[in-house]
Each structure stands twice: as structure tokens, then as C-alpha cells.
Amino acid sequence: MELIITEKDNAARRIADILSGGTYDSSRENGVNVYEWGGKRCVGLSGHVVGVDFPAEYSDWRDVEPVELIDANIEKTATKENIVATLRILSRRAERVAIATDYDREGELIGKEAYDIVREVDEDVPIRRVRFSSITENEVQNAFDEPDELDFDLAAAGEARQIIDLIWGAALTRFLSLSAGQLGNDFISVGRVQSPTLKLIVDREREIQAFDPETYWELFADLVKDETSFEAQYFYRDEDDNEAERVWAEARADEVYETLSGRDAATVVDVNRRTRTDAPPAPFNTTQFIRAASAIGYSAKRAMSIAEDLYTAGYITYPRTDNTVYPDDLDPEELLEEFVGHSTLGESADSLLEADEIRPTEGDEETTDHPPIHPTGEIPSRGGDVSDDEWEIYELVVRRFYATVADPAEWEHLKVVAEVDDARLKANGKRLVEPGYHDVYPYFNTTENYVPDVETGEELSIEGVGLEEKETQPPRRYGQSRLIETMEDLGLGTKSTRHNTLEKLYDRGYIESDPPRPTKLAMAVVDAAESYADRVVSEGMTAQLEADMDAIASGEADLEDVTDESREMLEEIFANLADSREEIGDHLRKSLKDDKRLGPCPECGEDLLVRQSRHGSYFIGCDGYPDCENTLPLPSTGKPLIMDGECEEHGLNEVKMLAGRQTFVHGCPLCKADEAGEGEILGDCPDCGEGATSPTSRGEGGETAEADGELVIKTLQSGSRLVGCTRYPDCEYSLPLPRRGEIEVTDEHCEEHELPELVVHSGDEPWELGCPICNYQEFQAREADSGSDLESLDGVGAKTVEKLVDAGIESLEDLSDADPDAVADDVDGVSADRVRSWQAKA
């Protein structure tokens, strides 16, 4: 029997389908899917099934000094015991083994972990390595026809990263967390790549905070030729002889304005025409793919998660690559022909195939491991094989390939300079003459600016003059894609890890919003590191370690030398930290409180702080507790973020609830508490009102109790709204209402329930909610049809449910009982912290 080992279950299923011609049988062994056909068995791992960790005696943070971790022994232990057990069982029956994990540093290490497990069972069984860049029939078949050997140097580089990241992260995380007294789920996280990346974000925020705006003025005039108006802007030559538009002296701006306003016409003194070639873009590497996906609304993490799914399904090539040069064996014409006749992509493919010669563009980076990201020629059906989001990313990849084999575009530029006394005006027009690649890649801006054709000496009427006072703006925050590009430029992390580093910063509460903005805790951690251990946030140190790991991969260094060098660096850092523990702790504790402070408690004057209950829910409590027990509720949806804006009435910062696409501004918690109460009566309560027949309206002996319950619109202190019974808490009948928007009670009534129909006014279009009982019944029916109660959690959509079910979590009960770290390991794109938040809500 031949045993084939892949990195994940979905890859195992796909490869089994290809190699068996769709005839495989599947079974379960220790809860693991095994695919079998013709003397072969294929099993998928779940990424790393073996991890590195310290021995058990180092696990108690309070009993072990963080510095002791630097030289502690490191053990390898099974992190997915059921998969490891299954692999051992299958290895005993195997006559040969093929390792088919992803072909990159991480995939090679995962393959080496599987290799070691097999070798523990059988020292002699032949083990071969198969590599492919797309899970398509031809490439998989070719890979198995031409197997290779495991690259032990590449795997060692991945193992060195694991060990170094463990030592650095654990030692520094424990030191800062213990210094600040911040343990449990809210520990202060530090990482070898994470911390320099955080410093990039913090440094940009410091620039923004320190920015001192300057006032300047710009002047515009509308020029007219043949009743056609176009805008021109005043400019002058600065001391470096560059064209400048900003006027820094108000007196000069007023002088120019008077000059332009006092004339009826301007004379054309210069006309410049030129044609510019707009070259097609280079093929996608990982960083440029993330950048392009960001431009159409996808976060780095989401884009990579979708790309990995498309790769596993065989629709695109491996999405983790630095390469920007297509391999010689890629035939662009043959690949284009696969799309001919497709309803969405076929027309563009047809037009490209009409070219006399098809020659792809090339980028600056050429590697030999994986090609640039491109389609394989297997086309999914939208709404069938892939979701709408997956189709958008797939089409982006296809159209980028189209762009790389398309013609350049051509722009015609026309610059007109007109003069009024000593004041000059310029108008820049541009027109797309030849669309070229823009016809097949509609993601770049092709906006044209019309300027009429004029001649030198021509008089143009002045129709209007404008003077605008402006201020210089601070530098913009890094967007996710720009941050990943900067990390790449500085050598921070790898193509496989950069987007995950950002996600860790979000999960740990160091950054919020998009573009990422650092919290006060992030500012404090970077401040402390710079003051007492600058190398922790130094990109130079991290980049050097990355270079060392590359040297391991190429056989120029060994794992032990590189990890020893890293330990020495860390020992030097701890030597500087040792005498500053108390100062660092005070600094971090103050910043932790600053991140949670809303303002003064109205009852005692102490600070009101955002707090979290042991069940995971958030509320506002007084820092004077237990002397002051004043609390205010917060919505159950989302994680609270304290905003800069203050309530004029109460002096408290407003609160935003971060909940993915359902993020909303809660506002001032005291205002929400003041707004709480009952509104308009809608009608009788169906459980205890007049004519009610349910058990809640009857006495102990079955006799009918007093039936006087009525339904009213209620606003709770948490900001939630509902239709509830006036006899609460004796009657708990309630129906949910939208949190936002003005609720209008109409004159139309539901014939079945005799309640008025409701309309919610929020946004451009009113939402006709209708009868609140009918509306809720329809909602319950939809939930029942969805087949899973997991989708009732905020942030859990159908695709995530599918991944959770694949990991054995089919209900809220399963989720509540699960180990968050194990779920995070099994489910792509889901962190352990996010699982914990779902568990709290569940």
C-alpha cells in the first residue's frame, strides 16, 4: 500500500480525486478522513501536527523567570494527537510513502514532521517528496511521475523560525505581562516580527500626532473656448524652478486673485502635446496580489484565505510566491484558449488571442520554487463551485493574467498654459487613446480629463475665479497592503507570514480599524521597548535573522548556529531589561488603563473603565469599585473601542462596537441609559394580553389570569431595542428590533396579529419591517433553513460554518466545548481569540 500525505484534508480529497479518476472511497480513522483507491491511501494533516514547546516545568509563568526560557530545552510534541495516531497506523501498513505538502519553507517543515512520524514506525520504508504549484490534473500527475527527495535544509530553516519565535515570543511576552500584572487572555504579546511591525505603525502615528499643519492657498479659474469650460490652476516657479501651486503667503494669494478677477480673458502662451505609453503590470506575486485585493475591498487575511481555497480546489496556482516571471513552460496562448466561450471571461480571452504575438510582461523578481499567481485553466462556476467573494478574487487573478499578456495602453496628454499679466494658469488634459490592457483589467483608474485643443496666442474667456484656503495634511496611516509591502522592503517576515502578523496585532488589541491604528497599549509597548530594549523592535535585527534562516535553507548555515546566535541576542536584551522591570510595569499599567478609560464616574468622580466579565461580555464599571458599584451595560455584539469624540453632556468618550461588517457606533453609554424606557403601545401581548390563550395567561388551576399585558417598543440601557410586554418580568414575551434608525409606527395593521406595521428609517431607503411578529417568524424560518445555529453568531458566515463543520464543529454546543487553540489550528483564517469571543457569545 502507498501512503500519500498532504498538508490539509481538502488537498487530500482533491489529490485523491485526481489520481483515482474520481473512484476513491473515504473512511474515518480516529476522526480523520482517509481516501483509498487501487492500493493507495491519502490522508491530510492539519498544517503542523507537531509543535515545539518548553517542558512542562516551565509552564507556570509565576514560578519561572522569563530569562530562564532562553536556554531551556525545547521539546517536540504532537499538537494533533488523533492525526499523528492515524499517521502511525497507516505507516505500519505502507510499503512506500509520498509527502505532498505545500512547496515552501513551512510546507517542507510540515512534510519533515510527517517524515519523522513515519520513520518512528518504519526506518526502511521508501519516502519520496512530490512538489507542485497547482493542484490540477496535469501538474499532480507529473509530480507523482517525477518524485524528488525531501529538502532537509529548507525544513531546518522552517524549524529554526519555530524555535526562535518560541523563545523570543515566550520570554519577552512573559516579562512584559508579569511586569504589568497582565495575565490570562489579555497578556501582553511580543514577537520577533510582530514587534518591529508594530513599531512601523506606531512611528507613523507619532508622525501624525506631531504634525503641525501649515496654511496655504490655491487659485483656480474656469477658462472657456467655444462655450466649453475647463478648469485651470494658478502656478509659479519656485526657487528650484519647479512648478508650484501652493501659495504660502496670504497677501500674495489675494494679489493673484485680484489680478485674475480683474480680467475677462487669458492668453494662451504654451501648448504641449505628448503621448505616453502605459505598460501592463507584472504578474502577481503574493504582495502585489494582496495589494490588488485590498483595492477591491479585501483584507490581507481574507484575500489569502480565499486564494488558498482556490489553489486547493485547483483553480489558481500556489498563492505564496515572490516570483514575478512566468516559467518557460507556461504557454499563454494555450491558457487563454481555456477561457474562450466563457460567459464572463471569454470575450476578453478572444480579444487577446487576436494578437500577432503574445509575450507576457516580467517583473524584477525571478525564483524557481513557484510561478507567479495565475489561473490554471480550470474554471469554477459562480454560485456553484465558489461563492461571490471567491469568484471576485478568482476573476482578479484571471484578469491580472490577461493584463500581463495584453498590449500597452496609450494616453494623449495636452498641457495648456495661459497668462493674465504676470499670473500663469495651467490645465492638464488626458485622453485614453488605446485602452490596451485596461480593456481586460478594469481595476486601474482610467478617468480622463478634457481640455480643448487650443493654439498659442489664442484668447480664452475667464468665467470664474476661485481662491481656496487649505492646510497641509499629516502622512496617511499605512493600509494593510502598503504595510505588507513595507514589511517586505525591510525584510520583516515572509510572504507566508506577513498577513498573519497583522492579524495577530488585531487579535491582541494592539491595532484597530483599517487602515490600522495603534491603541495606547501598542504605543506603550513600543515606548518601553525603545527605552529599555531597542533591539526588540528593530527591523534590522529581525531582517538579519531572516537572512540567517535563508542561509540555512541554502545549506550555508546550520540550525544550531543560528538559534544559538538568536539566544545570545536575547540574553543581551534581558541584561538591559533586568533593572527596569518596575518602571516598565508602571508604564504599561497606566497605558492599559488609558485604553479603557471613558471619563469621570457621575457618582464618585473616579474613572469609568471598559471591563470584561468572566463570561466574556463587556460592560462599563467604576475604577472606585468596591466603594462605588456604578455600572453601565454595553451591547452584546462586538468588542468595544473607545473613540476620541466626547459627549458634550456627560464628558464621556463615545464607544464603537467592533463586529466586522456589523460594526456600529454605540455612542455615549450614559446617553443610552437615559434614553432607555418604553415607547408607543402597539397592541395586546399574545401571551398575556386580552384574548391570549397560551399557558402564561392562566392561573395555577388552569383558570385565566388577569389579561392586561400590552406590547410596547422598549429601548434598553445597552442600546438594544425590542417589542416587549408591559408586564415584564412576569411576562417575558419579546421580539427583536433593529438597533439603528428611527422606527415609524404606521396606520397599516397586520390582519393575523392585529399589530401595526413598522418602518425603520435608516440610510437612503426605508426598511419596511412590517408586523414585528410576522417579521420574527420569517427570521426563525430562515435560520431553520440555514441548517446550522453557528450562523447566529456575529462574524460567522456560511463559508466559515462550512470550515467549522469540516473541523467537526457542527453546533453552538460543539463550539462551546471546543479547545480554541485546536479550532484555530484546524480552521484557516480563524484565530484562537476569535473562537473564545464566539464561545462567550454562544
Side-chain angles (χ1 to χ4, degrees):
M1 185 268 290
E2 179 179 13
L3 174 61
I4 300 169
I5 305 169
T6 71
E7 192 159 322
K8 294 177 183 176
D9 175 65
N10 50 8
R13 185 168 57 247
R14 171 78 177 159
I15 288 172
D17 188 56
I18 290 171
L19 296 180
S20 72
T23 63
Y24 67 87
D25 293 320
S26 62
S27 60
R28 299 274 283 179
E29 185 98 41
N30 292 321
V32 180
N33 290 327
V34 179
Y35 306 97
E36 185 174 2
W37 72 98
K40 300 180 189 292
R41 287 186 174 182
C42 187
V43 64
L45 308 176
S46 182
H48 291 285
V49 296
V50 175
V52 294
D53 206 347
F54 300 108
E57 59 263 29
Y58 291 91
S59 61
D60 192 326
W61 288 30
R62 297 184 186 277
D63 289 345
V64 178
E65 280 297 316
V67 70
E68 295 179 51
L69 298 175
I70 298 175
D71 293 316
N73 291 327
I74 291 177
E75 299 178 338
K76 291 184 180 181
T77 57
T79 55
K80 306 288 171 53
E81 292 184 1
N82 64 322
I83 297 178
V84 171
T86 300
L87 204 51
R88 285 177 175 146
I89 292 169
L90 296 176
S91 298
R92 293 190 189 101
R93 310 169 194 164
E95 295 168 354
R96 63 176 182 171
V97 175
I99 293 175
T101 50
D102 293 342
Y103 182 31
D104 59 9
R105 185 180 294 173
E106 208 68 20
E108 208 70 15
L109 176 56
I110 292 168
K112 169 66 164 45
E113 293 164 3
Y115 175 96
D116 290 339
I117 293 168
V118 173
R119 278 282 172 257
E120 288 173 10
V121 175
D122 189 332
E123 295 180 357
D124 300 319
V125 64
I127 302 177
R128 56 184 185 153
R129 176 74 161 104
V130 294
R131 299 184 176 94
F132 39 78
S133 293
S134 62
I135 309 182
T136 57
E137 185 170 346
N138 284 341
E139 191 149 354
V140 169
Q141 292 281 11
N142 290 339
F144 277 85
D145 288 341
E146 300 176 8
D148 201 349
E149 298 295 323
L150 198 68
D151 188 335
F152 290 95
D153 289 335
L154 188 62
E159 187 173 349
R161 179 188 302 282
Q162 275 191 333
I163 294 170
I164 291 170
D165 286 351
L166 171 67
I167 298 170
W168 277 74
L172 290 168
T173 292
R174 289 194 191 187
F175 178 85
L176 292 181
S177 299
L178 287 165
S179 300
Q182 192 75 8
L183 303 180
N185 290 336
D186 291 329
F187 62 85
I188 297 173
S189 176
V190 183
R192 183 183 58 82
V193 177
Q194 173 184 305
S195 298
T197 302
L198 186 60
K199 178 173 162 54
L200 285 175
I201 300 169
V202 167
D203 282 346
R204 177 54 56 89
E205 197 67 22
R206 289 167 173 165
E207 291 179 50
I208 294 170
Q209 292 174 354
F211 184 79
D212 187 14
E214 292 184 70
T215 303
Y216 66 92
W217 290 263
E218 290 183 342
L219 294 101
F220 303 88
D222 289 330
L223 304 181
V224 181
K225 176 182 178 176
D226 299 333
E227 299 183 354
T228 299
S229 174
F230 62 100
E231 186 179 78
Q233 183 172 11
Y234 167 74
F235 76 100
Y236 61 96
R237 292 282 177 182
D238 63 15
E239 55 190 24
D240 297 320
D241 200 35
N242 296 316
E243 291 184 1
E245 295 89 19
R246 296 178 175 182
V247 180
W248 299 100
E250 185 174 10
R252 175 58 182 164
D254 290 339
E255 180 185 333
V256 173
Y257 180 76
E258 289 180 11
T259 298
L260 296 176
S261 299
R263 299 290 185 275
D264 295 328
T267 304
V268 176
V269 296
D270 186 36
V271 178
N272 182 272
R273 299 176 181 85
R274 66 184 178 91
T275 300
R276 179 177 66 86
T277 299
D278 178 5
F284 268 152
N285 62 9
T286 301
T287 301
Q288 291 307 311
F289 162 71
I290 289 173
R291 181 179 185 180
S294 173
I296 60 173
Y298 290 87
S299 69
K301 176 186 175 183
R302 178 69 176 141
M304 286 303 296
S305 176
I306 291 174
E308 286 161 9
D309 287 344
L310 292 173
Y311 157 71
T312 304
Y315 301 128
I316 68 172
T317 57
Y318 192 57
R320 302 179 190 274
T321 178
D322 292 322
N323 201 351
T324 54
V325 179
Y326 291 130
D328 293 337
D329 60 359
L330 175 70
D331 185 336
E333 186 172 347
E334 186 178 303
L335 184 52
L336 284 172
E337 287 172 350
E338 296 290 340
F339 295 93
V340 171
H342 188 270
S343 58
T344 304
L345 304 169
E347 186 177 342
S348 296
D350 278 334
S351 66
L352 293 169
L353 286 167
E354 291 174 2
D356 294 333
E357 182 182 17
I358 297 175
R359 179 177 296 176
T361 59
E362 295 183 354
D364 297 329
E365 192 75 25
E366 184 172 12
T367 61
T368 57
D369 53 353
H370 293 289
I373 306 168
H374 65 78
T376 63
E378 295 194 23
I379 309 173
S381 63
R382 182 172 188 168
D385 299 321
V386 295
S387 67
D388 286 347
D389 284 358
E390 289 170 328
W391 176 263
E392 281 194 352
I393 293 295
Y394 175 73
E395 184 171 359
L396 174 68
V397 171
V398 172
R399 292 198 173 279
R400 182 62 163 230
F401 166 70
Y402 283 177
T404 63
V405 296
D407 291 331
E410 283 192 8
W411 291 86
E412 185 180 84
H413 291 258
L414 172 63
K415 179 182 178 182
V416 173
V417 178
E419 199 170 63
V420 178
D421 293 347
D422 64 340
R424 288 198 160 195
L425 299 164
K426 65 177 178 180
N428 290 306
K430 64 175 184 175
R431 184 170 66 92
L432 189 58
V433 182
E434 291 292 340
Y437 75 91
H438 292 292
D439 263 350
V440 297
Y441 191 72
Y443 303 102
F444 289 163
N445 187 3
T446 54
T447 302
E448 298 181 333
N449 184 42
Y450 175 73
V451 170
D453 200 5
V454 297
E455 300 295 333
T456 303
E458 192 171 344
E459 295 283 313
L460 302 172
S461 300
I462 299 176
E463 197 170 70
V465 178
L467 174 63
E468 295 182 9
E469 180 179 333
K470 298 181 177 180
E471 283 189 340
T472 54
Q473 298 298 307
R476 292 187 300 176
R477 294 186 178 94
Y478 291 107
Q480 288 191 30
S481 60
R482 181 71 185 106
L483 187 59
I484 287 173
E485 285 186 78
T486 306
M487 292 170 69
E488 181 180 37
D489 293 340
L490 296 174
L492 295 177
T494 68
K495 58 184 178 288
S496 301
T497 62
R498 292 182 187 114
H499 65 284
N500 288 327
T501 298
L502 288 190
E503 197 61 29
K504 286 180 182 177
L505 293 176
Y506 277 112
D507 287 344
R508 287 296 170 206
Y510 284 145
I511 57 177
E512 50 88 9
S513 299
D514 190 15
R517 176 179 180 175
T519 60
K520 292 183 177 66
L521 172 61
M523 305 286 279
V525 168
V526 172
D527 278 345
E530 287 175 329
S531 300
Y532 305 106
D534 188 50
R535 294 181 83 177
V536 173
V537 289
S538 164
E539 71 269 10
M541 177 276 298
T542 296
Q544 177 58 48
L545 287 174
E546 295 288 352
D548 288 343
M549 284 182 274
D550 287 341
I552 295 174
S554 61
E556 298 170 9
D558 63 41
L559 181 150
E560 189 172 337
D561 289 341
V562 170
T563 53
D564 285 348
E565 178 188 359
S566 180
R567 285 185 169 98
E568 289 172 8
M569 286 186 190
L570 197 51
E571 284 173 349
E572 292 174 17
I573 288 171
F574 266 87
N576 295 327
L577 288 174
D579 298 330
S580 309
R581 190 167 193 159
E582 191 170 329
E583 293 174 62
I584 294 171
D586 289 342
H587 184 53
L588 292 174
R589 279 191 293 271
K590 179 182 180 299
S591 297
L592 283 164
K593 187 175 284 188
D594 286 344
D595 255 352
K596 300 173 182 177
R597 182 183 291 112
L598 283 87
C601 173
E603 295 190 8
C604 72
E606 292 284 340
D607 289 325
L608 286 180
L609 305 174
V610 171
R611 297 190 182 279
Q612 192 170 14
S613 75
R614 63 178 180 272
H615 303 295
S617 58
Y618 293 95
F619 67 97
I620 293 167
C622 181
D623 199 31
Y625 179 86
D627 296 329
C628 178
E629 297 185 353
N630 184 27
T631 62
L632 292 167
L634 284 172
S636 57
T637 299
K639 181 177 182 180
L641 168 70
I642 298 174
M643 303 173 69
D644 292 332
E646 284 189 3
C647 170
E648 294 182 4
E649 181 178 352
H650 300 110
L652 298 184
N653 290 85
E654 296 186 341
V655 177
K656 177 191 285 188
M657 301 303 295
L658 303 177
R661 294 181 180 179
Q662 295 182 337
T663 292
F664 62 93
V665 175
H666 175 63
C668 167
L670 269 175
C671 287
K672 292 298 180 185
D674 291 343
E675 292 169 5
E678 295 184 354
E680 187 170 345
I681 294 175
L682 303 180
D684 293 331
C685 173
D687 272 9
C688 71
E690 187 175 348
T693 57
S694 67
T696 56
S697 64
R698 299 184 179 276
E700 290 184 6
E703 70 279 5
T704 303
E706 183 179 354
D708 57 1
E710 293 181 303
L711 294 183
V712 297
I713 295 176
K714 295 185 177 185
T715 302
L716 308 184
Q717 288 191 358
S718 65
S720 297
R721 297 188 296 191
L722 54 85
V723 172
C725 182
T726 54
R727 293 185 61 247
Y728 179 85
D730 295 324
C731 176
E732 296 184 350
Y733 185 86
S734 67
L735 303 163
L737 287 174
R739 176 179 293 275
R740 284 161 288 178
E742 180 184 348
I743 298 175
E744 175 191 355
V745 181
T746 71
D747 294 331
E748 300 292 326
H749 279 67
C750 170
E751 293 182 5
E752 182 180 356
H753 301 109
E754 298 182 356
L755 293 180
E757 296 186 358
L758 307 180
V759 175
V760 180
H761 296 276
S762 177
D764 297 333
E765 294 292 330
W767 174 16
E768 295 184 2
L769 192 71
C771 165
I773 295 179
C774 291
N775 180 272
Y776 188 58
Q777 288 174 344
E778 291 170 6
F779 167 76
Q780 288 178 311
R782 286 196 302 272
E783 288 296 293
D785 289 341
S786 71
S788 173
D789 56 358
L790 292 169
E791 286 195 59
S792 64
L793 293 174
D794 294 325
V796 180
K799 196 68 181 177
T800 303
V801 168
E802 185 180 323
K803 292 181 179 180
L804 288 169
V805 170
D806 285 344
I809 296 171
E810 300 179 356
S811 66
L812 290 177
E813 184 178 356
D814 292 341
L815 182 64
S816 299
D817 294 338
D819 175 14
D821 293 312
V823 175
D825 288 339
D826 285 345
V827 181
D828 286 343
V830 172
S831 67
D833 282 348
R834 185 164 297 177
V835 175
R836 291 186 186 98
S837 72
W838 289 341
Q839 288 176 328
K841 294 171 185 174

